[in-house]
Amino acid sequence: MRRSELEVNLKRAVITLNGVVQGVGFRPFIYRLAHHHNLPGVVFNSTEGVVVEVEGLEQQLQAFYRAILAQRPPLSRIIDARLVFTEPAGYRDFQIRPSVVDQPPTVLVTPDIGICDDCAREMFDPADRRHGYPFINCTNCGPRFTIMRGLPYDRRRTTMDVFEMCPACQAEYEDPGYRRFHAQPNACPDCGPRAWLASARSPRFFPPDSESAGRAGVFEEAREWLKAGKILAVRGLGGFHLLCDAHHQDAVRALRARKHREAKPLAIMCRNMDAVRGYCQVSSEEQALLESWRRPIVLLEKVWGGRRLAPEIAPSLSTLGVMLPDSPLHMLLFDDDLDCLVATSGNISDAPLVTDNREAFARLGQIADGFLLHNREIINRCDDSVAAVVAGEPVVYRRSRGYAPQPLEYGKQLRSVLALGGDQKNTFCLAKGSRLFLSQHIGEISGIASLEFLTTAVERFMDYFEIAPTTVAHDLHPEYRTTRLARELFSHGRPLVAVQHHEAHLASCMAENHLDEPVLGVVLDGTGYGRDGRLWGFEFFHGSLTGFERFAHLEYTPLPGGEAAIRRPGRMLFSHLLAHLGESGVERAHRLDPGWYEPGFDALRRQIETRLNAPLTSGAGRFFDAVSALLGICRLARYDGQPAIELEAAISHGGAPVAISERYGFDMDTGGEPWRVLVAPVWSGILEDMERGAGVPVVSARFHNTVIAMVLEVLAKKRQITGINKVALSGGVFQNRYLLENLIQLLKLDGFEVHFQKRVSTNDGGISLGQAVIADAMLKEGE
């Protein structure tokens, strides 16, 4: 074929790739692939994603397009790919061009990525120029979301813009054949961020002039401090950690005392997998989750008789929260004599994570003995994520670093909605197009600092993704701070949609699992404001996102003193016994163990009888609390969910396992609507067991089996009426692995199709997602 005929057949392919395609090495990948296929053209970042233009014969271009989809970088995620043919532009070679900002952004922001093996190898190589450098990174790892000011993702839109690259780093950055090609946080000890140590008594907000800042000497000294029992506040990717030697009992006790964290479990950070196996049992699925680039805290079973850690780390529990180092800075804190650190969030109780050096000295100076600081600014605070393997699958309990702000693909077009979540374990959600942008973990909305964190994060998400919500969704509870925030700050003439708490839980599970048709929903939770003004929490629903029917619930019990009954579960026990067994039940429980009974219970009795500050609740969490108090497991809740968490842990403290068929009786009242699950037989059975001398592990297991049986029987009865076979499970109580795994197994054996939450928190961290999709459904229904 003559040249002129070839030119006539030449075409230009314009390929637009949307999804997680910026900050993951996509442009260098395209550059190398184009050279492999001998195709001229260009690639550049835009607010739409990555745009590729190449010229050649159509069959060459189609082969190139297929290769992109098949060989994409491992950290990328292509959600939308478009190929359009047009007239050639006359390209002679292949180039990477500067980013183009000409349209509203549709590209996704990449989460922070744990250190890759190549960077770790270089950092520990004495011959490498980045040996011992705590900010080493490449296109396959390093900070992304936490340093990002705007889109598209370029160095000038990150907090790395103040660090001018040295000639060596610039050469790497511009070399398409090198893995640091266009790695936006690229740096080295000569030109990048620096780390330094400071004593709590001698604040130093900026790096010293010494050339050793950020090099090996700093970390040698930090390790010595840790080995000596010191507590260090360490500035990481998304904020500060508080660290101490996990073997040093006095250090762990001091950390608890200074942080006023009396009993809540502390997470540990281990040097490597060999260290993890010394303390915990690890399945292949759990190891994969630990070693994934997301680097979450993973809940693992302790190895009984394994290497000894300070017992105060996770008292009364059979599990440990374990993570591997998520950054090179953290990796440098370990050596052969220091393989495990306590790693807890750098904040004071219920306040947001500290991110700034000055703020750290002000807020953490009474907790930490020293500070390991750096001068790379953190834009978006982002706490550690928490996950577990449940029924063989990874399940996220706290969705934050490594996950946020990647959206969920909903599969259908959504109205632009801002959903503000609840007041505990808060996240927010923004809906745009077919995507649901769930925020990082915000936490407890309990004061000005947390409200400022929430409002700032909302504004940043709206800016990043150019979302202008037309509707604001919030919890039905009129006194929630997020409800007031919706009314006072975010409404601005926008319609407000109040969403019932447990319906939002269920909708979150349905949205994650793409369930459009009617389902049977089970929500086991603490307490949430119900449509009848009572406090719900052990709920059964039937319906779809356009409307749910609450068809059954646990029978109501007074919650004497409101929050006081949650903190002192003996109050809830007293109320349950009095309401469902009468005075004889109270007397039997008192004879077995008077330790749960408080002197003020006579006045509490009048409070229950008159319903004065004793709202009725059907909460599953409060039911578990009461049993925990009766068994002497937990009679003072010093953190959220403690009585129920320790009640589950008690099962593993027994000898021979209890068969799932061993349970207590219960009754059902199906004569009216909604049905009620009656608990008097449960309490009678527990008291009889205790009177016969049954051990705590046995009673705990039988109680859990009873709750499972309740759910199975209610769902089976409703299936007979409706024919609906799909079940969706949600609510914080389903973080109980014994409960969830056994329930899933038995539901499947009974022929149910079971859906539960894996990518989004089943606790209150997921309700903003449910609020968003319910508001969208209501708006469409109204139209």
Side-chain angles (χ1 to χ4, degrees):
M1 186 179 290
R2 295 191 302 276
R3 181 176 175 80
S4 60
E5 291 175 319
L6 275 172
E7 290 175 345
V8 167
N9 288 297
L10 283 177
K11 292 185 177 180
R12 175 165 50 122
V14 179
I15 302 167
T16 305
L17 303 162
N18 191 268
V20 182
V21 292
Q22 294 185 13
V24 291
F26 219 104
R27 287 178 296 171
F29 158 71
I30 293 291
Y31 181 94
R32 292 189 292 270
L33 193 65
H35 276 274
H36 177 74
H37 285 257
N38 295 313
L39 298 174
V42 295
V43 60
F44 55 89
N45 279 345
S46 81
T47 47
E48 286 189 287
V50 170
V51 179
V52 186
E53 295 187 11
V54 285
E55 294 183 355
L57 299 175
E58 183 171 342
Q59 63 190 42
Q60 294 176 302
L61 302 178
Q62 290 282 9
F64 175 72
Y65 179 66
R66 289 194 297 271
I68 292 175
L69 302 182
Q71 302 170 29
R72 61 181 178 78
L75 296 177
S76 67
R77 183 160 65 99
I78 298 173
I79 292 172
D80 181 46
R82 299 192 302 275
L83 169 63
V84 177
F85 292 108
T86 186
E87 292 299 313
Y91 295 123
R92 297 302 177 194
D93 57 8
F94 195 91
Q95 298 178 0
I96 296 180
R97 288 187 176 173
S99 298
V100 174
V101 184
D102 58 356
Q103 296 182 39
T106 57
V107 70
L108 303 183
V109 177
T110 308
D112 295 301
I113 302 166
I115 183 171
C116 69
D117 292 341
D118 289 330
C119 283
R121 190 161 40 250
E122 289 175 351
M123 185 175 67
F124 289 113
D125 180 0
D128 193 277
R129 74 187 188 94
R130 292 186 175 87
H131 176 239
Y133 185 55
F135 306 101
I136 189 170
N137 67 86
C138 67
T139 54
N140 299 319
C141 67
R144 300 292 192 272
F145 172 58
T146 54
I147 63 170
M148 186 176 295
R149 289 195 174 100
L151 288 171
Y153 176 66
D154 286 316
R155 192 178 182 100
R156 61 194 172 95
R157 295 184 183 87
T158 73
T159 60
M160 288 298 296
D161 63 340
V162 298
F163 300 100
E164 184 177 349
M165 282 184 280
C166 66
C169 286
Q170 189 70 41
E172 293 171 337
Y173 184 84
E174 294 174 355
D175 181 358
Y178 193 58
R179 78 173 199 281
R180 291 193 171 91
F181 180 60
H182 281 230
Q184 305 306 335
N186 189 34
C188 75
D190 295 329
C191 64
R194 301 168 72 190
W196 68 97
L197 268 174
S199 165
R201 294 187 298 274
S202 303
R204 183 188 291 274
F205 308 123
F206 304 103
D209 295 332
S210 167
E211 289 298 318
S212 67
R215 302 297 276 183
V218 169
F219 290 89
E220 288 175 6
E221 188 176 355
R223 290 192 294 270
E224 292 308 311
W225 283 23
L226 290 165
K227 291 174 189 177
K230 304 285 188 182
I231 298 168
L232 283 185
V234 177
R235 194 184 196 193
L237 285 171
F240 276 80
H241 279 116
L242 290 165
L243 304 181
C244 70
D245 183 353
H247 302 92
H248 202 297
Q249 193 167 9
D250 289 342
V252 177
R253 285 174 175 168
L255 176 58
R256 282 202 176 278
R258 295 178 195 176
K259 199 181 178 188
H260 304 293
R261 184 166 172 155
E262 302 164 274
K264 190 174 182 180
L266 297 165
I268 60 172
M269 180 184 289
C270 289
R271 184 185 190 187
N272 50 35
M273 283 305 306
D274 287 340
V276 175
R277 292 189 187 93
Y279 308 109
C280 297
Q281 303 171 42
V282 190
S283 68
S284 58
E285 294 87 356
E286 288 165 338
Q287 179 173 344
L289 188 55
L290 277 166
E291 294 182 327
S292 71
W293 61 267
R294 302 182 189 277
R295 290 290 198 276
I297 296 170
V298 180
L299 301 184
L300 303 175
E301 290 292 326
K302 293 177 182 175
V303 172
W304 297 107
R307 296 183 61 197
R308 181 173 172 79
L309 295 172
E312 291 83 2
I313 290 173
S316 305
L317 299 185
S318 60
T319 56
L320 283 170
V322 183
M323 64 189 298
L324 293 175
D326 64 304
S327 75
L329 183 146
H330 289 92
M331 291 187 82
L332 292 168
L333 291 170
F334 295 94
D335 63 19
D336 291 342
D337 299 317
L338 188 65
D339 72 346
C340 185
L341 297 171
V342 168
T344 189
S345 299
N347 62 347
I348 53 177
S349 183
D350 290 341
L353 191 66
V354 173
T355 60
D356 177 75
N357 289 342
R358 288 184 181 275
E359 181 190 14
F361 281 103
R363 292 185 177 272
L364 305 178
Q366 300 302 311
I367 302 173
D369 300 301
F371 291 79
L372 178 57
L373 306 169
H374 64 72
N375 59 337
R376 184 178 64 203
E377 186 184 355
I378 297 169
I379 292 292
N380 294 302
R381 63 164 53 89
C382 204
D383 214 332
D384 298 318
S385 294
V386 181
V389 173
V390 179
E393 298 189 67
V395 171
V396 176
Y397 291 153
R398 184 166 78 191
R399 187 181 184 274
S400 204
R401 180 185 47 74
Y403 295 86
Q406 285 189 337
L408 273 76
E409 293 294 324
Y410 190 50
K412 296 186 296 184
Q413 289 297 303
L414 293 149
R415 301 293 184 271
S416 292
V417 176
L418 165 62
L420 288 173
D423 278 11
Q424 290 185 310
K425 301 178 178 64
N426 177 267
T427 65
F428 64 86
C429 182
L430 279 159
K432 179 184 180 182
S434 62
R435 293 171 177 167
L436 291 152
F437 293 89
L438 196 63
S439 76
Q440 72 270 43
H441 173 73
I442 304 296
E444 311 309 298
I445 307 301
S446 57
I448 294 174
S450 55
L451 285 169
E452 287 177 349
F453 176 22
L454 173 58
T455 54
T456 300
V458 168
E459 288 163 359
R460 286 205 180 121
F461 268 58
M462 289 165 61
D463 178 58
Y464 289 158
F465 307 113
E466 290 205 2
I467 301 174
T470 57
T471 305
V472 179
H474 60 86
D475 195 273
L476 183 65
H477 198 303
E479 298 304 318
Y480 266 13
R481 292 176 177 87
T482 45
T483 299
R484 295 202 296 269
L485 197 67
R487 294 188 191 123
E488 296 166 11
L489 187 61
F490 287 114
S491 59
H492 298 307
R494 302 181 183 108
L496 298 177
V497 177
V499 181
Q500 200 280 320
H501 190 89
H502 303 100
E503 292 177 11
H505 269 296
L506 175 56
S508 178
C509 181
M510 293 176 68
E512 179 185 336
N513 290 283
H514 301 283
L515 300 174
D516 295 323
E517 63 275 32
V519 300
L520 300 179
V522 184
V523 181
L524 302 190
D525 199 33
T527 49
Y529 191 75
R531 294 190 177 280
D532 58 2
R534 294 168 177 171
L535 301 177
W536 296 0
F538 195 132
E539 310 302 321
F540 297 86
F541 296 99
H542 158 233
S544 63
L545 294 176
T546 55
F548 295 114
E549 171 210 354
R550 182 197 189 211
F551 71 87
H553 63 86
L554 193 74
E555 67 175 311
Y556 286 125
T557 304
L559 183 72
E563 291 295 322
I566 297 174
R567 182 162 174 79
R568 306 191 72 86
R571 287 172 168 248
M572 203 64 226
L573 170 61
F574 180 70
S575 183
H576 259 279
L577 293 173
L578 194 62
H580 306 304
L581 294 183
E583 292 290 352
S584 64
V586 174
E587 291 167 4
R588 287 173 68 189
H590 189 270
R591 283 196 300 271
L592 283 164
D593 179 3
W596 63 270
Y597 195 90
E598 298 178 17
F601 278 6
D602 286 339
L604 203 66
R605 179 183 283 102
R606 290 190 294 274
Q607 193 175 349
I608 291 168
E609 291 168 350
T610 60
R611 296 287 190 271
L612 179 65
N613 192 24
L616 293 175
T617 180
S618 58
R622 307 294 76 83
F623 192 24
F624 279 71
D625 290 354
V627 176
S628 186
L630 177 59
L631 295 179
I633 294 170
C634 181
R635 289 171 178 169
L636 177 63
R638 290 170 289 183
Y639 63 88
D640 181 43
Q642 181 184 0
I645 291 168
E646 294 184 357
L647 180 64
E648 180 195 6
I651 297 173
S652 64
H653 297 163
V658 175
I660 196 72
S661 58
E662 292 186 39
R663 64 173 181 84
Y664 303 115
F666 61 89
D667 291 330
M668 283 184 59
D669 176 6
T670 59
E673 294 183 353
W675 302 342
R676 295 183 305 138
V677 181
L678 307 179
V679 298
V682 180
W683 289 111
S684 293
I686 291 174
L687 291 172
E688 288 167 10
D689 250 1
M690 293 176 70
E691 286 163 348
R692 286 193 294 263
V696 167
V698 171
V699 177
S700 178
R702 288 174 178 168
F703 169 72
H704 279 79
N705 296 346
T706 305
V707 173
I708 291 167
M710 289 173 173
V711 174
L712 287 166
E713 184 167 332
V714 172
L715 292 178
K717 286 182 181 294
K718 193 65 174 179
R719 179 173 60 181
Q720 289 177 345
I721 298 169
T722 64
I724 295 172
N725 203 48
K726 290 188 176 181
V727 173
L729 308 175
S730 189
V733 173
F734 281 122
Q735 289 180 197
N736 182 317
R737 281 195 278 182
Y738 180 94
L739 187 74
L740 181 59
E741 288 182 329
N742 282 292
L743 179 58
I744 289 170
Q745 182 181 11
L746 292 175
L747 283 169
K748 287 181 176 179
L749 284 173
D750 201 21
F752 283 101
E753 179 183 318
V754 186
H755 299 273
F756 63 104
Q757 295 187 261
K758 308 175 193 72
R759 293 177 295 149
V760 177
S761 306
T762 193
N763 58 41
D764 282 9
I767 65 170
S768 62
L769 176 69
Q771 290 172 351
V773 294
I774 285 180
D776 171 73
M778 290 174 66
L779 290 169
K780 290 173 181 173
E781 187 81 0
E783 291 169 2

